[in-house]
């Protein structure tokens, strides 16, 4: 339970950090882009998207914590479905197309 609480706290702090437009270095693969490629992306939109994603993941993890506290497996299953769905949505939304490129709607 303690490790899960620490995980929720870290995801929340990192989510807020990214929501404020900071922490682009936390986004995997972004630092490997050339300066020219980085300039093509809307860094604020990308940062906010991943910040919201981390906050949503932390909310789904709260269901896991509640399931442990209340001894209710249904809450764990709901949290797991939310967690998986959020990750799949994030991957699909950010990978297909050029959603975060400047000038692309």
């Amino acid at each position: 339970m303690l490790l899960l609480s620490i995980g929720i706290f870290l995801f929340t702090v990192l989510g807020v950090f990214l929501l404020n437009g900071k922490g682009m270095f936390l986004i995997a693969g972004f630092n490997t882009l050339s300066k020219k490629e980085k300039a093509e992306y809307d860094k604020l939109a990308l940062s906010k998207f991943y910040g919201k994603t981390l906050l949503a993941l932390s909310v789904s993890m709260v269901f896991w914590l509640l399931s442990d506290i209340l001894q209710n497996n249904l809450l764990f299953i709901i949290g797991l479905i939310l967690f998986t769905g959020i990750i799949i949505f994030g991957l699909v939304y950010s990978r297909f197309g050029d959603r975060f490129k400047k000038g692309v709607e």
Side-chain angles (χ1 to χ4, degrees):
M1 222 176 5
L2 178 63
L3 288 177
L4 186 56
S5 299
I6 292 170
I8 292 168
F9 176 76
L10 286 176
F11 272 47
T12 303
V13 168
L14 293 174
V16 170
F17 192 62
L18 283 166
L19 267 177
N20 289 321
K22 311 275 192 262
M24 288 301 295
F25 65 91
L26 295 172
I27 299 175
F30 191 76
N31 287 332
T32 62
L33 297 176
S34 68
K35 287 185 181 184
K36 181 182 174 189
E37 289 174 315
K38 285 181 183 179
E40 295 176 4
Y41 285 90
D42 183 355
K43 294 177 186 131
L44 184 60
L46 187 62
S47 181
K48 284 187 175 192
F49 172 75
Y50 281 110
K52 290 174 187 175
T53 301
L54 279 174
L55 290 176
L57 288 172
S58 66
V59 168
S60 69
M61 292 166 65
V62 168
F63 280 94
W64 299 346
L65 187 62
L66 288 174
S67 86
D68 196 26
I69 293 169
L70 301 174
Q71 298 296 312
N72 185 340
N73 288 336
L74 180 61
L75 290 174
F76 178 80
I77 293 169
I78 291 169
L80 186 61
I81 291 170
L82 283 172
F83 193 87
T84 305
I86 292 164
I87 289 176
I88 291 171
F89 173 77
L91 289 172
V92 170
Y93 187 81
S94 66
R95 298 286 183 232
F96 291 125
D98 296 325
R99 303 228 187 250
F100 298 109
K101 287 206 174 179
K102 291 179 181 176
V104 177
E105 306 255 341

